[in-house]
Amino acid sequence: MRPEKAMIAKTSGRNGGSTASSQAAGGPEVVLGEGVLDDRDKAILHLLAREGVIGVSEIARRLALGKSVVWRKLQKLTAMGLVERVVVNGRPLYRLRPVEEPRN
């Protein structure tokens, strides 16, 4: 499953419509409740979708971001319920949070 399906709840500006800032950035913002995903958030989600489980340092290296930036982004994505922290061999790693299928 593509990560966009799991994370896109609404694709519009903060006030329910398209905004000038989102249009200037090249498209609609992705809005989930109170959180907005920016390009760095999306890059992290795509990397997690591709790699499965990965650590902060490796994400920072691959995306050419500072480790503190990546850590803050992961905290945000975890709070939004999109990412979860797991410990593998004593190392804190991150992965996309599994999406539960609706039960019929």
Side-chain angles (χ1 to χ4, degrees), residues 3-88:
E4 291 88 0
K5 281 194 167 189
M7 67 181 175
I8 297 177
K10 176 180 171 186
T11 55
S12 65
R14 287 185 179 96
N15 297 324
S18 184
T19 63
S21 64
S22 65
Q23 290 171 350
E29 295 174 326
V30 177
V31 179
L32 290 171
E34 295 298 315
V36 176
L37 299 180
D38 63 20
D39 290 340
R40 291 176 180 175
D41 297 322
K42 293 174 193 174
I44 290 170
L45 290 171
H46 285 288
L47 183 60
L48 290 171
R50 203 170 49 245
E51 298 299 322
V53 179
I54 192 168
V56 172
S57 295
E58 186 63 14
I59 294 170
R61 185 184 70 76
R62 291 196 191 184
L63 299 179
L65 297 171
K67 287 195 301 187
S68 62
V69 171
V70 171
W71 186 84
R72 283 192 309 268
K73 294 293 187 180
L74 288 168
Q75 298 310 301
K76 171 186 169 181
L77 295 169
T78 299
M80 293 172 75
L82 299 173
V83 171
E84 66 183 0
R85 182 179 181 266
V86 294
V87 178
V88 177

